[in-house]
């Protein structure tokens, strides 16, 4: 038993180091695509391409397109202050946020997209399109942060040679929506808060109270003498 106790502090340090390594790998794998802080807007037409500052993808540009279904109606896309806002008139319309960037093996860096919904009407259809052909579509996604795995797309293989990504919105009735933060994440390792708590717990158990240790040793000696 004494031999095992001798190696416990070192073992705990190794576990802490492994936990922190997992945390670092998760942090590195996450790539910001667009935090919607660079202002851009379009009303019934197209605007761009505009370079995105701070994105984790090299050479990335963004093009906005808004097309109403009826003449005289309005379709609009606005990027401002951390929000992507899409709105349409009574007849509805199609809106697009198109990203082009240097070819990237995204599959080796991440396993999913994260995308936050701030507000959305029910009469909508949203598609996330990779390389113009691999599609993930959803309706009534709900509010809050969402994780969309690459495996949920119609052709997950495109993520090893990715050069474009498009958010496409469509609705027949007037509808509005707001979104926040489009990024990637590696959903194959524990979430950072979990790893951090694990490391803290291991660290805490590594440092026992001196008084408790002395008391425990006294109890052991007493039991042996008896």
């Amino acid at each position: 038993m004494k031999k095992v106790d001798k190696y416990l502090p070192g073992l705990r340090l190794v576990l802490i180091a492994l936990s922190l390594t997992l945390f670092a790998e998760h942090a590195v794998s996450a790539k910001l695509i667009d935090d919607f802080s660079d202002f851009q807007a379009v009303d019934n037409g197209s605007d761009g391409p505009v370079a995105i500052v701070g994105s984790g993808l090299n050479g990335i540009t963004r093009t906005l397109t808004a097309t109403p279904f009826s003449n005289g109606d309005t379709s609009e896309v606005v990027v401002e202050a951390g929000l992507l806002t899409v709105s349409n008139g009574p007849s509805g319309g199609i809106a697009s946020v198109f990203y082009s960037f240097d070819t990237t093996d995204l599959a080796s860096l991440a396993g999913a997209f994260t995308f936050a919904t701030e507000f959305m009407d029910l009469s909508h259809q949203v598609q996330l399109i990779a390389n113009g052909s691999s599609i993930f579509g959803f309706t009534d996604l709900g509010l809050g942060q969402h994780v969309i795995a690459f495996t949920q797309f119609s052709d997950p293989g495109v993520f090893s040679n990715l050069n474009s990504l498009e958010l496409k919105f469509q609705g027949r009735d007037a509808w509005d929506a707001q979104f926040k933060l489009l990024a990637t994440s590696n959903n194959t390792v524990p979430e950072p808060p979990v790893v951090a708590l694990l490391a803290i717990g291991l660290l805490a158990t590594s440092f026992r109270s001196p008084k408790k240790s002395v008391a425990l040793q006294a109890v052991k000696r007493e039991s042996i003498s008896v």
Side-chain angles (χ1 to χ4, degrees):
M1 190 65 181
K2 288 183 178 180
K3 290 183 178 180
V4 175
D5 290 340
K6 177 182 178 182
Y7 294 107
L8 278 178
L11 179 60
R12 290 190 180 102
L13 289 175
V14 170
L15 289 173
I16 292 170
L18 287 173
S19 299
L20 293 177
T21 299
L22 285 174
F23 180 88
E25 287 179 355
H26 187 106
V28 170
S29 68
K31 277 188 176 292
L32 172 66
I33 296 175
D34 194 355
D35 62 2
F36 304 121
S37 61
D38 297 317
F39 176 79
Q40 190 179 3
V42 64
D43 187 344
N44 291 6
S46 182
D47 182 81
V50 172
I52 301 176
V53 179
S55 175
L57 299 177
N58 294 327
I60 188 169
T61 62
R62 180 179 64 207
T63 300
L64 305 181
T65 303
T67 307
F69 286 138
S70 298
N71 291 332
D73 212 341
T74 300
S75 184
E76 184 180 55
V77 183
V78 178
V79 176
E80 185 177 21
L83 287 174
L84 166 64
T85 303
V86 183
S87 59
N88 292 275
S91 66
I94 298 174
S96 168
V97 181
F98 181 81
Y99 299 97
S100 178
F101 41 84
D102 297 344
T103 300
T104 305
D105 182 2
L106 203 60
S108 67
L109 303 173
F113 293 109
T114 60
F115 191 46
T117 307
E118 284 286 290
F119 171 80
M120 180 176 283
D121 290 335
L122 296 179
S123 55
H124 70 278
Q125 178 186 17
V126 184
Q127 291 180 327
L128 193 54
I129 307 171
N131 275 11
S133 60
S134 185
I135 301 172
F136 172 77
F138 52 87
T139 57
D140 303 333
L141 189 62
L143 304 183
Q145 192 78 24
H146 309 285
V147 177
I148 303 167
F150 294 167
T151 54
Q152 293 179 270
F153 283 74
S154 58
D155 180 11
V158 302
F159 291 101
S160 61
N161 195 39
L162 192 68
N163 55 39
S164 73
L165 192 65
E166 181 181 15
L167 282 165
K168 191 172 183 179
F169 310 92
Q170 181 172 317
R172 282 290 171 186
D173 300 317
W175 62 273
D176 300 302
Q178 281 190 326
F179 306 92
K180 290 177 66 175
L181 189 65
L182 177 61
T184 69
S185 78
N186 189 336
N187 60 347
T188 60
V189 299
E191 290 297 315
V194 175
V195 176
L197 287 173
L198 175 61
I200 292 170
L202 290 170
L203 187 61
T205 57
S206 298
F207 296 97
R208 294 180 178 177
S209 167
K211 292 183 180 179
K212 289 184 179 179
S213 298
V214 171
L216 183 60
Q217 290 173 11
V219 170
K220 287 182 178 180
R221 285 198 296 270
E222 184 178 346
S223 62
I224 291 171
S225 62
V226 172

